[in-house]
Amino acid sequence: LSDDQLLRKLASKFLCEVAYNCEEAQKKLCEYVGFTSFQGKVMINKWPAHMKAELLVNTNLLESIKEGARKAHKKGNRFWTYPEFSFDPEGAKNKLSELKKGSEKEKLALELLTVDLTFPDPKFYLIGFTVTSKKKDIPYGSVALMISK
């Protein structure tokens, strides 16, 4: 896991965007990267350290994660998170308005800031996508691998 928060967010957002509603991309990601689908959900990052401990004592954690992913998919979200991620639109709007849309460099800075403000940090959240296939599970990797990461 990178020490650079923005890099972690960008990499995770990229994977979610590539996988969104694209069964072929989902299969390739799972095959090449070793992701595993479990009941139609694919987690793209390692378990945050604080959640590993919670998993040992909270027997309902996996069910909560599954339910949260189901709700996110039902809302049409491109990704799911646990815990549910929300951002402050007013705070984001204020920070974004500080940047002027001008040069290409400023536009790139604006886009990076947008990702930074509107996407969860995989160091603290579980992040994933919902499988598009009717089969729901993509047979690559292993569930044990998914949980141990």
Side-chain angles (χ1 to χ4, degrees), residues 40-59:
K41 314 296 180 261
V42 176
M43 184 174 75
I44 64 167
N45 61 315
K46 295 180 178 185
W47 282 79
H50 69 280
M51 284 189 201
K52 283 184 183 180
E54 184 181 349
L55 184 60
L56 296 173
V57 294
N58 183 352
T59 57

Side-chain angles (χ1 to χ4, degrees), residues 115-128:
V115 170
D116 193 33
L117 294 173
T118 61
F119 199 84
D121 186 346
K123 186 174 183 178
F124 304 106
Y125 289 84
L126 293 178
I127 302 169

Side-chain angles (χ1 to χ4, degrees), residues 72-132:
H73 182 68
K74 195 173 183 177
K75 288 180 187 175
N77 294 355
R78 292 180 177 265
F79 60 93
W80 57 264
T81 66
Y82 184 84
E84 185 176 352
F85 175 76
S86 61
F87 72 100
D88 173 21
E90 278 304 308
K93 188 177 178 181
N94 291 338
K95 286 185 179 183
L96 293 174
S97 68
E98 292 171 14
L99 290 175
K100 295 178 182 175
K101 293 183 181 179
S103 70
E104 288 302 312
K105 195 173 185 179
E106 289 169 334
K107 288 179 185 177
L108 177 60
L110 182 63
E111 287 188 31
L112 291 175
L113 182 58
T114 301
V115 170
D116 193 33
L117 294 173
T118 61
F119 199 84
D121 186 346
K123 186 174 183 178
F124 304 106
Y125 289 84
L126 293 178
I127 302 169
F129 59 87
T130 301
V131 175
T132 303

